[in-house]
Structures are given as structure tokens and as C-alpha cells.
Amino acid sequence: MTHSPRTPMARLPAIDRLLRLPQTAALIEGHGRAMVVAGLRAAVAGLRAEVAGGAEPALADEAVLGRARKWLEHASRPSLGPVFNLTGTVLHTNLGRAPLPAEAVAAIAAAAGAANLEFSLDSGRRGERDEHVEAALRRLTGAEAATAVNNNAAAVLLVLNSLALRREVLVSRGELIEIGGSFRLPDIMARAGCRLREVGTTNRTHLADFEQALGPRTALVLKAHSSNYRIEGFTAAVDDRDLARLARAHGIPFVVDLGSGSLIDLAAFGLPAEPTPSGTLAAGADLVTFSGDKLLGGPQAGIVVGRRDLVERLNRNPLKRALRLDKTALAALAAVLRLYDDPDSLPRRLPALRLLTRPRDEIVALAERLRPAVAAGVDGAASVDVVACDSQIGSGALPVEMLPSAGLRLRPAVRGGAGAGALAAAFRALPIPVIGRVRHGALLFDLRCLEEPERFLAQLPRLGLRRS
Ligand SMILES: *Cc1c(COP(=O)(O)O)cnc(C)c1O
């Protein structure tokens, strides 16, 4: 073969020839031909750009294949995967809210293939998918009936659209909530086809305000739990019992969106009290909605419990079909509800409750044990000390209540070290990304939610940080 003095551009390898190389066969075996072609094209395109910029990159086949291999590794990494949530927010919406118990994970796997989702094994005929959770929800809340949909926003949408289409819904001005940027009660109300009738003022709403607002066009009274904020000072809200009595006297339903809604009395576990669906129903609510993946500790779901005739109206609404749960979520929800049959074991078996009730002393001991290894891992790029901090429940539950906790504070080395942002980025780049929070120029890891310290420690050698 003759070697003409070709320009670097002309020496860029041809994709066809690279695809026929024996080394490429292994790549095709692992990634599939289409992905390897895309990887080789990306590698050659990168080289072309570098050559055009005047650089002289290595153009040997092995160098090009090396680039393609890197591209393929990156492209085949799953986008969604596990992280260590060391933010101090236990039910972190952006980090997947409640971690599922092993029982739920097993139930998801068991239902992954063909499953009796809507099939009665007794009669051999069509069944209802809600049957897998309804009895447990009724038992745990004392409700006549229950249904479950995709999330609590969907539950609220379904209730409003089923019971108040083209009619008025009364809501206290103090409860026109926005949660997590995308759930705004007034917007959901509009999309549900209802007219919002605001009652009272931001800080004070009285029963008389509701009485005056009630009219022939009123379809229901809605109360929304003020999840992620609290109005303090000169305030007044109407008691559930009074609202329930008023709604009943006018023959319209009283609906409560509890948001988190704990199925058990959290105060019994030393946590701040949160209203329960059973307590809210006992106070006279006709329907109560709440999330599956907040304090309940299960999969993403929206649960509605209450009067049978109203739940039947929800089930007859075509929107129910659009908002329904899939078999894996139903399997997980059923498995989590089963754990509630033995409430005493919940702090041990339900991760959300286990993390929320984790004793501070245990977290301090963990922080002290991990400190030297983390200091060695950051290799002088930061000083590491054990600090007291506060965890939050998250997902709008009890926003002002803090849980005393402990963690590690990583302060960037004064001169020439990585800043706190760069430290945080290095931890995020680990095989299981570690997510902390940057505050006052330091990176803070709240260790309340760290339950697998050995997996956390094992990846520290890959940090690749060094002072200057
Ligand atoms: C969280 C919350 C919602 C939304 O629930 P999702 O399950 O996230 O859809 C609605 N209302 C209240 C009061 C909430 O706290």
C-alpha cells in the first residue's frame, strides 16, 4: 500500500472499514450494530472538528475505537438510577420520595409478567384492579369505599371533575395552594372544569364566609391541607366538623385534600402529628385524598377514600381510565398496605418511617465512624467535620418541623482547592451519585438517610479530588 502525503482530513477513517475490524465485532455484540455505528460516527465527527481546529489527534484505528467505546459507555448508562439522598429531606420529590420496602420491591417483580390485574381467580371472569387495594384501604381508614389513581394531583382532578363539573367549588383563600411548582389548586380546578369560589381572606376564614358563599351553583366544599407553608399570627380556619355539618345541611359533599395524610398517628412514634384520613373521615369529610409516596411510604399513587356513592361516581368517570394505576404500582401499594396490618413493626420495616424515626445518636455515631474515610477520600481537597443539622420530612408534610440530625460538613481547602460546587459535582459523578446540599460555601451531607454506609465508602476512591 502506498502512502500518499494526504491531509489529516483525508486520513479520517471510514466508518465502513471500522465496522469490519475484528475489535469492532465485540462492541457490536455488546451494544448492537446501530449504536456502534452511532458511536463511530460521533468519534469521527469529534476528530473532524479537532482537525478543523488545527489539532493533530491520533487517527489510528485503536484511538478511534477508544473514543467510540467511551461514547457507547456513556450512551448506554441508564438515565434513571439510584442515588444516595444525603440532602436531609427524607421524602425528596426530586429524588423519588419514599424509598420502597423490600416487600414492595418483591411484589413489583412478582407482578411484572402476566398477572391477575383485572381478573377474578374465584370466578374466572373480569375483575376490578382496585380490588387489590380497596379492602386494605377501607380497613386502615374506616372508609366505606376507596380507589387509587396515578398520584394525588390526579385524585383531586378526578374528584373535582366527577362531582363539580361546570359548577362551583368553595375553597378558603388561605388554602389556594401551589405545591412543587406544578400543582396549583386553581389551575387543577380550571382544568377539571369547575369554577373556583374563593372564601374568606388569606389569613382568616370563618364559617359565616362559607355560609354566605353557598348557593344553588355550589357543588362541593374543598379543604386543602396547607402542605408546604404555614400561615402564622392572626389566623382563623374553619374546623372540619363545622364545614362537614354545613355541607351536609346543603346536601353537598365535603372533600379534604390531605396531601400527605399519614395512615397512622405519627405522634405515637415521637414525630409531629399529621392529620390522618381516618380522623378526617370521622370528623365528617365525605371524601379524603392523599398521596401514596409521601408519609404513607409507598409508590407514587393518589388515594381517595370515603362515601361509597361518591367513589362510584369517580369510578364511572372516563377520566378514571386515563388516570388509573399500573399493575406494578398496585402490587407495591398492596404490599406496603399489608405492612400497616402490623403497625408496631412499621418503624423497622417501612423505610420512610424508619428514616424519619432514626435516633439522632445513631446518626452521630455513623458520622463519626465515616469521617476519617471521607477525609481520606477527598484527599486534602476539603476539611471534613461532624456537625449537627436538621432534617426535614419533605413533600410538604409538616414543613416547619425539623428533625434533629447529624452529618458531615466538607469545607473546601482554603487555597487552590475545589470550591463547594466542584466538590458537590465530584460526588454527583460517582457510580452511585451522592447528593448533598451546598450551604455557606460548604458541602453538607445529612446522614439520616444513609443506610448502606459500606456502599457509600466503597466508591470514595473514585472521587479523584486532590488539593490544587
Ligand atoms: C403533595 C400534594 C398534592 C400533590 O400530590 P402528588 O401525589 O404529588 O400528585 C396535592 N395536594 C396536597 C395538599 C399535597 O400536599
Side-chain angles (χ1 to χ4, degrees), residues 326-357:
D326 84 301
K327 62 182 176 179
T328 58
L330 270 168
L333 181 57
V336 169
L337 294 176
R338 263 196 302 280
L339 296 183
Y340 277 87
D341 287 334
D342 179 13
D344 295 339
S345 74
L346 283 174
R348 191 164 38 83
R349 293 166 80 192
L350 190 65
L353 198 60
R354 185 168 67 226
L355 296 173
L356 289 171
T357 57

Side-chain angles (χ1 to χ4, degrees), residues 97 151-153 177 179 183 225 227 257 259-260 291 293-294 301:
R97 289 197 183 155
N151 56 20
N152 188 36
I177 51 174
I179 295 149
F183 180 91
H225 189 45
S227 295
D257 169 17
S260 219
S291 292
D293 55 357
K294 292 184 179 174

Side-chain angles (χ1 to χ4, degrees), residues 295-379:
L295 285 172
L296 193 150
Q300 181 186 302
I303 295 162
V304 189
V305 296
R307 261 168 54 191
R308 173 159 302 284
D309 61 321
L310 299 179
V311 170
E312 278 168 4
R313 279 169 71 185
L314 307 190
N315 285 334
R316 284 197 300 269
N317 185 336
L319 268 185
K320 169 74 194 294
R321 169 68 178 76
L323 303 172
R324 71 188 186 184
L325 280 177
D326 84 301
K327 62 182 176 179
T328 58
L330 270 168
L333 181 57
V336 169
L337 294 176
R338 263 196 302 280
L339 296 183
Y340 277 87
D341 287 334
D342 179 13
D344 295 339
S345 74
L346 283 174
R348 191 164 38 83
R349 293 166 80 192
L350 190 65
L353 198 60
R354 185 168 67 226
L355 296 173
L356 289 171
T357 57
R358 198 171 187 187
R360 183 174 175 276
D361 290 352
E362 186 186 314
I363 309 172
V364 173
L366 178 63
E368 276 162 3
R369 179 157 83 76
L370 297 191
R371 198 204 64 79
V374 174
V378 298
D379 201 11

Side-chain angles (χ1 to χ4, degrees), residues 170-244:
L170 305 191
V171 187
S172 163
R173 283 208 168 82
E175 295 167 4
L176 292 174
I177 51 174
E178 167 175 325
I179 295 149
S182 51
F183 180 91
R184 281 185 156 193
L185 198 50
D187 296 345
I188 297 271
M189 194 98 55
R191 292 295 173 146
C194 314
R195 213 155 331 123
L196 167 65
R197 176 87 187 254
E198 302 177 21
V199 177
T201 62
T202 304
N203 59 329
R204 289 175 73 84
T205 301
H206 306 277
L207 190 61
D209 297 326
F210 279 98
E211 277 167 351
Q212 277 160 27
L214 267 165
R217 283 190 304 272
T218 314
L220 63 86
V221 175
L222 177 69
K223 182 176 170 135
H225 189 45
S226 58
S227 295
N228 47 2
Y229 69 103
R230 181 167 289 180
I231 298 179
E232 292 190 341
F234 185 58
T235 64
V238 185
D239 190 72
D240 284 357
R241 285 174 201 283
D242 295 334
L243 270 181

